[in-house]
């Protein structure tokens, strides 16, 4: 797929200035990724800011003891606020980003990102909106850990994954879910079987089929 101003307008409607759209086309790189590819890893220096055209990317954070925790998903029209921060502060990455499905991503050079902050109003608003959205998701992740029971965290995780991928058939393993929720595989397997008995999902080999829409799944324990 060729990067065009039409594609920029479609994917990033907040970026309204034509000159900015043209600059993005001229200076950025459009790349395609298969599922399960790592775009950014712990300790990397980030010299480009990713803008999602299509697909789904999960963002993970690693604790001091080496365990990983799922934070949020990026989809078409999104960018990673944590990548912005690392770029502008010249810091190494504290996150890992992995494609959940085939994805297309624009990479913006660091210097252009900084120049556009003072040059284009719509870029500043896009960056601030992205910061706000990601911080809300981070707060939600913290709330999930601090205030929700494990079965509620699991339901929200599955709902978020389903919403990000746009489908109710999830190709994943109990071990992967346990790792991203920082829980034991045994506990996750036990809860998944419990949810299957309640007819909320159906378990298969390395896949889980949700039997409810994501919003209904998230709110199931509140009923």
């Amino acid at each position: 797929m060729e990067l065009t101003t039409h594609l920029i307008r479609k994917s990033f409607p907040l970026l309204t200035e034509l000159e900015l759209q043209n600059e993005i086309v001229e200076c950025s790189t459009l790349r395609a990724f298969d599922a399960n590819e790592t775009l950014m890893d712990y300790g990397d220096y980030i010299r480009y800011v990713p803008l999602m055209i299509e697909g789904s990317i999960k963002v993970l954070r690693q604790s001091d003891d080496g365990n990983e925790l799922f934070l949020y998903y990026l989809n078409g029209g999104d960018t990673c606020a944590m990548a912005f921060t690392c770029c502008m502060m010249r810091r190494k990455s504290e996150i890992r980003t992995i494609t959940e499905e085939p994805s297309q991503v624009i990479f913006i050079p660091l210097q252009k990102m900084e120049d556009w902050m003072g040059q284009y109003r719509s870029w500043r608003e896009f960056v601030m909106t992205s910061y706000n959205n990601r911080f809300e998701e981070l707060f939600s992740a913290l709330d999930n850990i601090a205030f929700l029971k494990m079965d509620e965290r699991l339901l929200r995780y599955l709902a978020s994954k389903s919403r990000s991928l746009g489908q109710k058939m999830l190709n994943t393993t109990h071990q992967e879910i346990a790792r991203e929720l920082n829980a034991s595989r045994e506990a996750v397997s036990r809860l998944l079987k419990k949810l299957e008995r309640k007819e909320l999902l159906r378990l298969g080999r390395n896949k889980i089929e949700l039997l409810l829409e994501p919003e209904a799944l998230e709110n199931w324990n509140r009923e």
Side-chain angles (χ1 to χ4, degrees):
M1 181 188 295
E2 182 182 358
L3 182 59
T4 64
T5 53
H6 172 73
L7 183 58
I8 297 297
R9 294 189 195 107
K10 178 182 177 181
S11 301
F12 303 96
L14 289 179
L15 304 179
T16 56
E17 291 146 302
L18 180 58
E19 187 176 351
L20 171 61
Q21 296 168 3
N22 289 334
E23 281 207 54
I24 292 175
V25 172
E26 291 171 5
C27 78
S28 62
T29 302
L30 176 62
R31 289 187 58 190
F33 296 89
D34 294 327
N36 298 315
E37 285 198 59
T38 298
L39 280 69
M40 186 186 310
D41 210 344
Y42 307 116
D44 288 349
Y45 279 107
I46 303 173
R47 297 179 174 84
Y48 298 88
V49 174
L51 274 64
M52 291 285 297
I53 293 294
E54 63 182 19
S56 177
I57 292 176
K58 62 184 174 184
V59 180
L60 306 167
R61 175 72 186 269
Q62 190 175 48
S63 64
D64 292 339
D65 58 7
N67 292 322
E68 282 191 317
L69 182 66
F70 166 77
L71 296 180
Y72 51 78
Y73 285 105
L74 299 174
N75 296 108
D78 288 337
T79 188
C80 184
M82 298 182 76
F84 276 121
T85 301
C86 291
C87 270
M88 297 185 73
M89 299 183 68
R90 307 299 199 274
R91 291 168 52 186
K92 292 182 179 180
S93 172
E94 297 178 352
I95 59 173
R96 186 203 305 269
T97 57
I98 303 173
T99 52
E100 283 277 278
E101 61 182 348
S103 303
Q104 290 192 323
V105 184
I106 297 172
F107 290 96
I108 305 292
L110 168 60
Q111 186 57 53
K112 286 294 184 179
M113 184 197 78
E114 295 178 336
D115 292 344
W116 294 344
M117 288 295 288
Q119 190 174 356
Y120 296 112
R121 174 189 53 79
S122 65
W123 178 258
R124 290 194 301 273
E125 292 179 354
F126 172 71
V127 170
M128 296 311 296
T129 299
S130 298
Y131 270 118
N132 182 67
N133 291 342
R134 299 291 85 79
F135 275 119
E136 286 184 357
E137 289 171 330
L138 286 173
F139 285 137
S140 177
L142 289 173
D143 288 345
N144 288 348
I145 296 170
F147 304 119
L148 296 184
K149 295 184 294 184
M150 189 60 212
D151 58 345
E152 294 173 317
R153 287 181 60 199
L154 178 57
L155 287 171
R156 289 198 177 188
Y157 170 87
L158 294 173
S160 177
K161 193 177 187 75
S162 172
R163 188 181 294 111
S164 178
L165 295 173
Q167 61 187 41
K168 291 193 285 186
M169 181 64 76
L170 308 179
N171 295 310
T172 187
T173 66
H174 298 192
Q175 182 60 49
E176 179 183 0
I177 295 172
R179 183 174 64 251
E180 295 184 5
L181 292 179
N182 197 16
S184 71
R185 185 191 61 78
E186 292 76 12
V188 167
S189 296
R190 184 171 60 252
L191 286 173
L192 286 171
K193 291 175 182 177
K194 175 183 175 182
L195 296 175
E196 184 177 42
R197 289 195 297 271
K198 294 181 180 295
E199 299 184 347
L200 300 180
L201 51 82
R202 185 178 296 116
L203 300 176
R205 182 175 177 81
N206 296 336
K207 62 184 180 181
I208 300 171
E209 180 184 5
L210 305 185
L211 303 180
L212 298 179
E213 296 299 326
E215 183 177 355
L217 198 67
E218 283 181 328
N219 294 320
W220 179 78
N221 266 350
R222 302 177 188 177
E223 299 176 354

